[in-house]
Amino acid sequence: MRVTIHQPEHLPWLGLLAKVAASDLWIVLDSVPYRKNYVQNRNRVLLGGRPTWLTVPVFAPLGTPIHEVRIYEAPHWRRRYRGRLTQALAVTPGANHIGPVLELIDAAPAGGHLADLNLDLAAWLLAQFDVTVPRVRASALRMAGTRSELLVNLCRAVGADEYLSGPSGRDYLDLAAFAAQGIAVRFFDFDHPTYDQGDAPFVPCLSAVDAWARLDRPELPSLLSRYRLSPT
C-alpha cells in the first residue's frame, strides 16, 4: 500500500491534491507542531490579477500540535474572508457555486479546531476533482518519533510498503530507516499545469479553488495527473 503523509493545509493547492490522488491512503500529519506563516491557516487566490491571502486567525502558542490549534474569533474575520473569496471568484464561471466553501467557513465554530476546518475544505476540494482516497489522522495513530523515525512509524502503523514523499524529502529522509522496515520510498514531483486565468500572466501554486472556479468539472481530474514518480 502506498501512503503519503502531509500536513492539513488550508484550501490546498493542486500539488497536494495530486499527491493524495496518487496514493492509497493519506496520513494527515496533524501531530507535529503548527508552523506559523505557512499554509496551515491560509492560502492564496487571485484578486484583481494578484495573489491574495485568505487567512483564518488562530490561537497557537509555540509548539502547539496542529490538531490542537484553535480558531481565534478575531472581529469580522469571516466577513473579510468571505468578501475576498467571493470577490476573487466573481469573474469566474464558478462564482455562483462557491456556496459550499462559504458554508464550511461559516459553520466552523469559534474556538474550534483549525484542522477540522482544513480537512472539511480538503474533502470538498478532493471530491470536486474526483479523488476518493481515504485518510487517517496521525494524531489518532499515536506514533512517537521525529522526522524520518516518525514517518517510518506511521507507515508501519497502517501497513504501508511504499511511502510517497514530496521532492524536499530528498534532502532530509533517512532512506536506510525506511529500507530497514521494508518500505520503499518514491519522490513525487508535480508539474504544475497552466489554465486560463484571464488576461494577467499565469500564477501557479494558488489554492486549487482557483482552478475549480475557472474550469469545467470534467477538466479538473486531468490537472492532477501531471507528475513524475522517481525511485530512490
Side-chain angles (χ1 to χ4, degrees):
M1 177 176 63
R2 176 191 291 168
V3 304
T4 193
I5 302 174
H6 204 287
Q7 297 171 5
E9 295 181 359
H10 184 73
L11 274 182
W13 74 301
L14 290 172
L16 176 54
L17 303 188
K19 190 150 76 89
V20 171
S23 305
D24 299 311
L25 177 69
W26 174 19
I27 299 180
V28 180
L29 190 59
D30 64 346
S31 59
V32 298
Y34 172 80
R35 181 176 172 184
K36 187 178 179 181
N37 297 328
Y38 191 49
V39 290
Q40 292 166 6
N41 73 316
R42 63 180 188 165
N43 217 317
R44 303 182 307 157
V45 292
L46 275 188
L47 181 57
R50 296 184 177 182
T52 301
W53 290 105
L54 298 172
T55 303
V56 179
V58 297
F59 180 73
L62 184 65
T64 303
I66 292 171
H67 69 94
E68 294 182 4
V69 172
R70 293 186 176 272
I71 298 170
Y72 173 64
E73 201 62 23
H76 313 305
W77 81 264
R78 296 174 200 265
R79 184 173 68 186
R80 187 180 305 112
Y81 189 109
R82 288 175 59 100
R84 286 187 176 180
L85 180 57
T86 54
Q87 188 178 354
L89 302 187
V91 296
T92 71
N96 295 325
H97 305 287
I98 196 59
V101 173
L102 301 179
E103 290 171 6
L104 289 172
I105 295 297
D106 288 342
H113 290 100
L114 174 69
D116 292 344
L117 172 60
N118 285 357
L119 290 175
D120 286 344
L121 290 167
W124 181 83
L125 269 175
L126 287 164
Q128 305 310 301
F129 286 77
D130 293 339
V131 179
T132 58
V133 174
R135 73 183 188 219
V136 62
R137 293 195 186 198
S139 58
L141 297 175
R142 299 180 179 274
M143 291 292 108
T146 59
R147 298 180 73 83
S148 291
E149 179 188 14
L150 174 60
L151 300 179
V152 168
N153 288 341
L154 289 171
C155 287
R156 292 181 61 198
V158 298
D161 55 16
E162 184 176 333
Y163 171 57
L164 188 59
S165 168
S168 62
R170 294 183 174 94
D171 300 326
Y172 67 82
L173 285 181
D174 181 356
L175 299 178
F178 285 87
Q181 299 297 327
I183 302 169
V185 176
R186 302 186 77 179
F187 295 104
F188 180 92
D189 292 283
F190 186 59
D191 298 319
H192 202 297
T194 59
Y195 50 87
D196 185 9
Q197 288 180 335
D199 297 331
F202 183 79
V203 179
C205 303
L206 302 171
S207 166
V209 75
D210 182 75
W212 167 84
R214 297 176 188 277
L215 301 177
D216 292 334
R217 179 150 182 191
E219 299 177 89
L220 297 178
S222 65
L223 298 183
L224 307 186
S225 64
R226 305 185 182 192
Y227 60 84
R228 291 165 284 118
L229 296 183
S230 306
T232 56

